[in-house]
Amino acid sequence: GINDGNFNHKYKTIVYPNPFKTETVYQFDNMHNATISIYNCFGVLVSQENNVKGNCVKISRGNLKSGIYFIKLIESNKVVAIDKLVIVD
């Protein structure tokens, strides 16, 4: 699920635009080998990108339905940020 006891929200993150229709940009502090996981409102993993490097990534809607999602940024097996994504039609 999206809850994690190791969570420490010390990283600055920005999701823009949010809400979005087709794609959005997720901006964060510089990462070296991070994982970005996207969960639906029920806590089910719907998308994941591994080996993320740098400080931003473009997220495409793909086949995700409109609704609320949560994006989890993980580095060195620690959750460093959780943000909300809103997809609209």
Side-chain angles (χ1 to χ4, degrees), residues 1-2 26 34-40 44-50 52 59 69-74 81-83 85:
I2 60 173
Y26 189 41
T35 299
I36 293 175
S37 302
I38 300 176
Y39 296 86
N40 67 15
V44 176
L45 181 68
V46 295
S47 179
Q48 184 165 296
E49 187 169 343
N50 298 311
V52 175
I59 297 172
Y69 295 84
F70 296 92
I71 186 167
K72 187 191 280 188
L73 181 61
I74 302 165
I82 295 175
D83 293 282
L85 289 177

Side-chain angles (χ1 to χ4, degrees), residues 4-34:
D4 192 310
N6 295 330
F7 179 61
N8 183 358
H9 201 311
K10 64 182 179 180
Y11 288 78
K12 180 168 175 48
T13 58
I14 301 169
V15 180
Y16 62 91
N18 194 21
F20 70 99
K21 289 185 178 186
T22 56
E23 69 180 21
T24 189
V25 174
Y26 189 41
Q27 188 173 336
F28 38 80
D29 292 342
N30 200 41
M31 296 288 147
H32 301 290
N33 188 15

Side-chain angles (χ1 to χ4, degrees), residues 13 52-54 58 61 68:
T13 58
V52 175
K53 294 171 179 52
K58 225 179 247 188
R61 175 181 184 164
I68 297 172

